[in-house]
Amino acid sequence: MASVTLRRLSKVFAGGVQALHHLDLEVRDGELLVLLGASGSGKTTVLRCIAGLEEPTSGDVVIGERVVTQESPAERDVAMVFQSHALYPHLSVRDNIAFPLTVRHVGDAQVTRRVLEAATRLGLKDVLDRMPQQLSEGERQRVALGRAIVRGPQAFLLDEPLSRLDGPLRIELRAELLALHRALGATMIYVTHDQTEAMTIGQRIAILHEGRLRQVGTPEEVYQRPADVHVARFVGTPGMNVLRGRGRAAEKGRVIEAGSLVIPVELSTYEGELQLGVRPEFVGLCAVDHGVGNVDVLVVEPLGSETLVHLNAGGQPLVARLQGFADVPVGTRVGVKVDRRRLYLFDAAGAPLV
Ligand SMILES: Nc1ncnc2c1ncn2[C@@H]1O[C@H](COP(=O)(O)OP(=O)(O)O)[C@@H](O)[C@H]1O
Ligand SMILES: [Mg+2]
């Protein structure tokens, strides 16, 4: 296995779409890094550039110590698993898994051994003689993984490999993938648009937005110390509340005004326009006129262990996450409390204010 490094990687497609802007990223040898971003943010393009399926417009891809930017996909020795697994329909499971080895003219005995090893790891031993159309969706995705494993590549590139699976199966395969990562000590780049998935599997998460890397960090770092408003909104279920407002001097000290909220602050000396961030778990409800402002209840979502209450704070949306079930009638007006130690301040453009 090897590290994978991107150096100032950019990609402009014919027609002028700039998909990637100067990405710098180092995925350590043996690391599982999640590349997280909305649809169209450039995730697949990153993987295709690493695999050699797409030529970067500028910048380099480095695998281990080797600059591979000019090398063919075969020379790079990385395995890519796609969202749509593209198995060969006329080949058995056994031959599908063996395929990368047979095209490389690996000897029969070794092919048999490596296919069996991969199939055992993935729980596919009993279906080796079936054809792809005789498999469940989950089994097909395992075969696609098997095809990557047999090669013993320098790195695995996984492009939303679980997005076609439904709930429980997805969680099951996710756990298997984590076990596989541990067992193989493999370098893996795992692409997803699902931030919950990213938080649960990533040792580190790299957040891509409109072709730019916004932040790279552990799940806790990106949650607790988001690099900008975009990351703050994107990470978390639901994401951070961000309200447009302004800081100003008040009779006693200073306040931040945002929508219908007026929040006394001690630390910020910031004057003028800003954005106020607060996670839904640090927003509470109280009687009218007893909090930092009054809001209208728009929608109430009871989820069992918690209730999400969607509020209108003077024309700006605000979500409160309350424990258990909450008796908050839609259409009523209530007061809002916020935990002032848990506020984030960003400038008007979205950069953190410290
Ligand atoms: N072959 C291509 N030609 C032109 N534009 C492309 C091509 N492939 C991707 N793009 C554009 O590049 C951007 C990033 O795409 P992609 O990497 O597929 O995003 P993601 O995988 O995050 O959904 C999108 O705006 C997409 O339309
Ligand atoms: Mg994609």
Side-chain angles (χ1 to χ4, degrees):
M1 293 289 159
S3 59
V4 176
T5 307
L6 308 181
R7 289 192 194 141
R8 305 281 299 162
L9 188 80
S10 291
K11 176 68 188 177
V12 182
F13 283 108
V17 178
Q18 180 150 10
L20 304 177
H21 300 257
H22 312 299
L23 305 194
D24 283 305
L25 179 66
E26 189 187 342
V27 186
R28 301 167 195 141
D29 188 356
E31 182 179 20
L32 169 53
L33 179 120
V34 174
L35 186 58
L36 171 68
S39 173
S41 58
K43 306 180 296 297
T44 297
T45 306
V46 171
L47 293 192
R48 289 176 58 83
C49 286
I50 296 171
L53 302 171
E54 204 73 71
E55 192 187 341
T57 308
S58 61
D60 277 310
V61 176
V62 184
I63 297 177
E65 303 291 303
R66 226 169 72 237
V67 177
V68 300
T69 321
Q70 302 305 323
E71 290 185 6
S72 70
E75 290 170 302
R76 296 185 189 201
D77 193 21
V78 296
M80 189 150 165
V81 176
F82 299 91
Q83 175 178 357
S84 51
H85 23 66
L87 303 181
Y88 301 105
H90 57 284
L91 294 183
S92 67
V93 168
R94 185 191 308 280
D95 291 342
N96 261 287
I97 297 178
F99 192 80
L101 301 178
T102 32
V103 295
R104 285 175 181 74
H105 307 293
V106 175
D108 284 351
Q110 217 194 115
V111 171
T112 307
R113 185 177 59 76
R114 278 157 78 174
V115 169
L116 194 65
E117 208 176 274
T120 306
R121 251 188 221 299
L122 294 163
L124 293 170
K125 241 167 70 177
D126 297 335
V127 299
L128 279 173
D129 294 313
R130 287 205 206 153
M131 302 304 279
Q133 67 271 23
Q134 299 171 299
L135 301 176
S136 70
E137 191 71 23
E139 286 167 337
R140 275 186 221 135
Q141 198 54 281
R142 286 190 180 89
V143 176
L145 277 170
R147 216 161 47 174
I149 292 171
V150 282
R151 290 178 46 186
Q154 295 294 317
F156 290 89
L157 309 177
L158 307 166
D159 195 359
E160 313 217 26
L162 308 183
S163 60
R164 281 161 56 123
L165 308 177
D166 52 18
L169 185 58
R170 196 173 164 145
I171 291 168
E172 190 185 317
L173 234 96
R174 190 195 291 168
E176 283 179 26
L177 207 65
L178 281 173
L180 195 68
H181 171 254
R182 275 194 299 273
L184 300 175
T187 309
M188 289 186 172
I189 304 180
Y190 183 105
V191 159
T192 181
H193 65 270
D194 178 341
Q195 61 86 26
T196 312
E197 189 159 284
M199 296 293 275
T200 48
I201 74 169
Q203 296 178 322
R204 288 194 305 155
I205 302 175
I207 297 167
L208 196 61
H209 177 61
E210 293 174 354
R212 291 173 209 273
L213 267 182
R214 296 305 180 110
Q215 187 167 12
V216 183
T218 63
E220 187 176 350
E221 280 164 1
V222 299
Y223 191 81
Q224 304 281 19
R225 293 191 295 283
D228 62 23
V229 161
H230 167 76
V231 175
R233 281 183 191 276
F234 195 58
V235 173
T237 325
M240 188 184 286
N241 293 295
V242 180
L243 288 81
R244 296 205 161 265
R246 55 195 308 276
R248 66 166 172 82
E251 277 170 44
K252 282 184 278 175
R254 298 182 165 275
V255 294
I256 290 172
E257 292 176 332
S260 57
L261 311 184
V262 182
I263 305 172
V265 282
E266 281 127 36
L267 292 175
S268 169
T269 56
Y270 198 74
E271 288 279 335
E273 263 187 71
L274 51 71
Q275 301 187 74
L276 171 72
V278 57
R279 295 235 172 246
E281 54 268 39
F282 299 116
V283 178
L285 303 183
C286 60
V288 166
D289 295 334
H290 281 68
V292 292
N294 297 329
V295 296
D296 298 312
V297 179
L298 297 176
V299 174
V300 177
E301 292 181 275
L303 300 172
S305 61
E306 62 189 36
T307 300
L308 298 179
V309 184
H310 297 259
L311 307 158
N312 175 359
Q316 301 201 55
L318 179 70
V319 180
R321 165 185 276 153
L322 309 178
Q323 293 280 309
F325 289 92
D327 182 22
V328 200
V330 169
T332 53
R333 173 158 286 202
V334 292
V336 157
K337 297 180 297 187
V338 293
D339 185 337
R340 281 196 271 151
R341 292 160 308 174
R342 303 297 191 136
L343 299 181
Y344 294 80
L345 296 181
F346 303 96
D347 67 18
L353 287 172
V354 265

